[in-house]
Amino acid sequence: MDARLASLLDFAAELQARHDHPSSPRAFAQALGIRLIEGDEDSANAGPPAVVTYNARYGLGRRRFSLWHEMAHVIMGWHGIDADFDSWVGEMDREQLREQAASILAGQLMVPRLVVTDALREHGWTGTAVMHMRTMTGMSESVCLRRLISHEISGSRAAAVFVDRQVVDVATWNYRVPLRRYERIPEPANQLEGVRLSRMSKGRVIGLWEE
């Protein structure tokens, strides 16, 4: 599965680069010839013709993860991974794997590879890299955090955000961390083995793990 997922992400990265990394769902759809239709919910059909229906109530905001998720489903259809799921994944697991792949790809569409690579080159494996990604894309801390740890799909990484020593967000990628959301960790530096802490503002800290 990792090899096929890597192939999908490479395919999408090439599409993004070819069209100068469209930064909004509308621009992305126009560049790739995906038809946008107003509706009551977000959905996708890879076509042809490729169509994404979007919930008109929420519009086409660039930070709408669910809309990028539907764009990802279109690309998955073009790539062929959907056909793979139909042929070699059991029905019980098929939809779960398909949705997981779409969510991973949506993160890449929102925060392109080039942005992550630049952030890591300038700031290394630190919370400041997350802030760099936010500045460059306008996406949320949550999206950028998850994008950072999944940048190398074969890696084992995790991240957590602490506010006044309380865990307010946790993200993992092939890595188990000894904490839960909303848990209070009085001394993260002493209590959490292997964590790299970056103070982002008063009382707000990002912790990163990597194997």
Side-chain angles (χ1 to χ4, degrees):
M1 175 60 183
D2 278 359
R4 202 60 177 135
L5 179 59
S7 173
L8 169 66
L9 297 177
D10 288 344
F11 176 78
E14 290 172 6
L15 286 177
Q16 287 180 280
R18 190 184 311 160
H19 297 284
D20 197 24
H21 303 91
S23 60
S24 71
R26 186 188 297 277
F28 188 84
Q30 289 176 342
L32 275 75
I34 301 171
R35 185 180 177 190
L36 294 173
I37 299 177
E38 289 188 3
D40 296 326
E41 61 182 17
D42 297 333
S43 64
N45 189 314
V51 175
V52 166
T53 301
Y54 65 95
N55 190 323
R57 179 180 178 185
Y58 301 110
L60 292 167
R62 66 187 299 200
R63 294 179 61 169
R64 276 235 289 137
F65 182 85
S66 62
L67 193 51
W68 286 109
H69 182 98
E70 299 306 331
M71 298 289 183
H73 276 296
V74 171
I75 292 177
M76 289 168 62
W78 292 349
H79 171 265
I81 196 171
D82 273 343
D84 291 342
F85 286 144
D86 289 339
S87 64
W88 54 262
V89 177
E91 187 174 354
M92 293 278 298
D93 301 321
R94 188 180 302 156
E95 286 310 308
Q96 180 180 356
L97 288 174
R98 184 174 277 129
E99 292 304 311
Q100 287 175 349
S103 291
I104 293 165
L105 177 52
Q108 179 174 292
L109 298 181
M110 298 173 84
V111 185
R113 272 185 189 174
L114 181 63
V115 173
V116 186
T117 301
D118 287 347
L120 288 169
R121 183 175 60 249
E122 290 191 28
H123 305 288
W125 181 240
T126 65
T128 308
V130 176
M131 296 302 103
H132 177 105
M133 293 157 63
R134 292 192 67 184
T135 299
M136 295 304 296
T137 64
M139 298 304 170
S140 69
E141 179 183 77
S142 177
V143 166
C144 292
L145 200 71
R146 284 157 177 78
R147 182 69 183 90
L148 180 66
I149 66 170
S150 65
H151 180 54
E152 295 179 2
I153 64 170
S154 62
S156 297
R157 293 172 168 174
V161 180
F162 305 88
V163 174
D164 295 328
R165 297 183 174 85
Q166 184 179 47
V167 182
V168 297
D169 194 9
V170 181
T172 63
W173 185 266
N174 301 323
Y175 194 107
R176 184 183 296 274
V177 290
L179 48 77
R180 299 180 303 276
R181 197 171 185 180
Y182 304 124
E183 183 177 1
R184 188 167 180 79
I185 310 292
E187 297 293 337
N190 297 328
Q191 293 178 245
L192 300 173
E193 183 178 355
V195 68
R196 176 176 292 187
L197 300 173
S198 301
R199 187 174 300 279
M200 310 314 300
S201 61
K202 185 177 180 180
R204 190 175 193 87
V205 174
I206 290 179
L208 297 171
W209 291 261
E210 181 180 33
E211 285 186 353

